Amino acid sequence: MSNLMSLDLFHPAVANWFSKNFPAPTRPQDLAWPSIKARQHTLIAAPTGSGKTLAAFLSAIDDLVKQRLAGTLEDTTQVVYVSPLKALSNDIQRNLQIPLEGIQLELHSMLLGEANIRTLVRTGDTPQSERTAMIKRPPHIIVTTPESLYILLTSEGGRRMLKTARTLIVDEIHALVSDKRGSHLALSIERLQALVEEPLVRIGLSATQRPIEEVARYLVGAGGLSPDGTPRCNIIDTGHVRRLDLAIEVPDSPLEAVMSGEVWDEVYDRLAQLILSHRTTLVFVNTRRLAERAARHLGERIGNENVTSHHGSLAREQRLAAEQRLKAGELRALVATASLELGIDIGAVDLVCQIGSTRSIAAFLQRVGRSGHSVG
């Protein structure tokens, strides 16, 4: 199907907004839209920065716009978006507002009135007042984490809100399939399916994985398998190998089981050199304690105003401030734990440094992928 034809699936206001902001649909978008529009389970496997999230969201937004214009859109939750990270959830809500506002302008120019499509984030960071408000007047799109979805499914108000869901989007699904957290989410997805009034369309967004069929099996669950075990799911696999510019650096002093202060000084001095020779650097570490320590030592070398830390123990306001400063280009470096390793849109990062070894090659490549995070 050609790029032009895949955009024909959308309302003109939605298609016009897309055409004004992007030269053409990416290959994952082009292949996924007909599948999602046909309400088929769809797994999109593609590299970072290839428009996977917008591929899922634009179809959902288009459905809501068409309902609004037909006068059938009610104050009910239709789309449940699950992401593994709070930071990613906040990022997605911001990235949802841009197309929604743009599509609203298109509707105005066509004299079609207001879209009034509402989105809300529900994570552990969400204030109690917002949690209560969303139960009273549900958002059309709810953005949440696996843990918060579980909590919603256990409360009477949450279940009432989720009962009208029609579409489930699971982002960064590859980060969930292999651990207990993923098992827990799989149970929540089946509880959600048992609760809703009609079959859920399940959309998974994944980095390139092998075998991708295993991720598809996880997405559709046992009830979505054919007798021979193949998943009843359209797999859009547009993975390609990115060219990587990698280097391993070690300090001049001999490495020992416990690194001395002098060796750490060499590490921080070299990191400072690398940071100052790039525009924006993301430094990954494996513990929250090291994130704080590294940010402090780097601040002494490049200026405290140019570097800060990001990890799960920080207050919500501090984490959001760090993310916003990074995106606005106000930071030369951000030292983070796994809290920023997934597909968050973190702007113009042109260097990623990893201190120490990651738990897996996949996690390392995920972190590397935060640099040069754009189409192509």
Side-chain angles (χ1 to χ4, degrees):
M1 183 174 285
S2 72
N3 290 339
L4 192 60
M5 285 177 67
S6 64
L7 278 175
D8 284 346
L9 296 166
F10 297 112
H11 186 275
V14 178
N16 289 349
W17 170 80
F18 186 90
S19 297
K20 287 177 181 177
N21 287 275
F22 303 97
T26 62
R27 184 162 169 75
Q29 291 167 345
D30 212 22
L31 295 172
W33 283 335
S35 172
I36 297 169
K37 281 293 184 183
R39 293 196 60 74
Q40 296 171 338
H41 298 321
T42 307
L43 175 62
I44 308 172
T48 57
S50 55
K52 296 190 293 289
T53 309
L54 190 59
F57 269 134
L58 206 61
S59 294
I61 291 171
D62 181 67
D63 289 344
L64 294 167
V65 167
K66 287 174 178 173
Q67 288 175 49
R68 170 65 72 198
L69 296 176
T72 58
L73 184 62
E74 299 175 357
D75 279 341
T76 56
T77 296
Q78 295 194 27
V79 181
V80 179
Y81 169 94
V82 180
S83 99
L85 295 180
K86 291 178 190 173
L88 195 53
S89 297
N90 293 319
D91 198 61
I92 290 303
Q93 209 228 1
R94 281 192 295 273
N95 289 344
L96 261 176
Q97 292 310 321
I98 293 169
L100 285 173
E101 288 167 9
I103 291 163
Q104 181 61 71
L105 290 174
E106 292 295 327
L107 289 168
H108 273 308
S109 70
M110 299 168 75
L111 304 179
L112 291 173
E114 300 288 326
N116 292 329
I117 295 166
R118 292 175 298 102
T119 66
L120 274 176
V121 170
R122 168 60 165 92
T123 69
D125 285 341
T126 306
Q128 187 58 48
S129 58
E130 288 182 25
R131 297 182 193 188
T132 305
M134 76 171 61
I135 299 298
K136 290 180 179 174
R137 190 185 181 208
H140 300 111
I141 302 173
I142 186 162
V143 177
T144 189
T145 57
E147 291 74 22
S148 288
L149 175 62
Y150 168 78
I151 290 168
L152 285 169
L153 285 164
T154 57
S155 70
E156 187 180 336
R159 288 173 65 80
R160 195 166 58 245
M161 180 178 75
L162 293 172
K163 193 170 186 177
T164 52
R166 301 175 72 242
T167 302
L168 171 73
I169 302 170
V170 184
D171 202 355
E172 304 290 350
I173 191 171
H174 57 278
L176 294 161
V177 291
S178 61
D179 59 18
K180 292 177 183 176
R181 199 173 177 219
S183 304
H184 190 252
L185 176 61
L187 287 170
S188 292
I189 291 172
E190 295 309 322
R191 288 180 68 196
L192 180 62
Q193 179 59 76
L195 173 70
V196 299
E197 296 156 351
E198 57 181 284
L200 272 178
V201 174
R202 306 183 189 190
I203 303 169
L205 309 178
S206 174
T208 307
Q209 297 282 292
R210 293 289 179 270
I212 196 64
E213 290 76 17
E214 286 300 322
V215 184
R217 284 191 191 93
Y218 173 86
L219 176 66
V220 300
L225 301 179
S226 301
D228 63 355
T230 57
R232 290 194 289 271
C233 176
N234 288 333
I235 299 174
I236 312 295
D237 188 359
T238 63
H240 70 262
V241 178
R242 290 177 67 183
R243 287 178 58 208
L244 302 178
D245 176 10
L246 299 177
I248 296 174
E249 301 223 4
V250 292
D252 292 332
S253 303
L255 288 173
E256 297 173 2
V258 178
M259 290 214 302
S260 67
E262 291 78 12
V263 178
W264 273 114
D265 282 339
E266 289 180 32
V267 171
Y268 295 133
D269 287 343
R270 178 60 181 143
L271 275 172
Q273 285 177 354
L274 289 166
I275 291 165
L276 292 173
S277 63
H278 290 79
R279 185 172 47 180
T280 311
T281 301
L282 202 50
V283 179
F284 281 108
V285 296
N286 296 333
T287 66
R288 296 169 182 183
R289 191 172 164 189
L290 182 52
E292 293 288 347
R293 195 171 76 209
R296 188 178 77 249
H297 283 285
L298 289 172
E300 292 169 359
R301 288 161 171 81
I302 65 171
N304 289 322
E305 70 281 2
N306 292 319
V307 60
T308 190
S309 60
H310 187 290
H311 55 76
S313 292
L314 286 174
R316 173 177 182 257
E317 291 74 20
Q318 287 176 281
R319 277 185 279 117
L320 283 174
E323 292 161 30
Q324 294 294 1
R325 288 179 68 198
L326 185 73
K327 290 186 182 186
E330 296 170 9
L331 289 175
R332 294 298 298 271
L334 183 59
V335 186
T337 58
S339 60
L340 279 182
E341 79 177 19
L342 294 174
I344 183 168
D345 176 15
I346 43 181
V349 172
D350 53 351
L351 177 69
V352 168
C353 298
Q354 166 71 39
I355 301 180
S357 172
T358 55
R359 63 189 179 279
S360 68
I361 290 294
F364 173 72
L365 289 173
Q366 191 73 49
R367 293 177 177 190
V368 170
R370 302 306 94 215
S371 177
H373 182 84
S374 58
V375 174

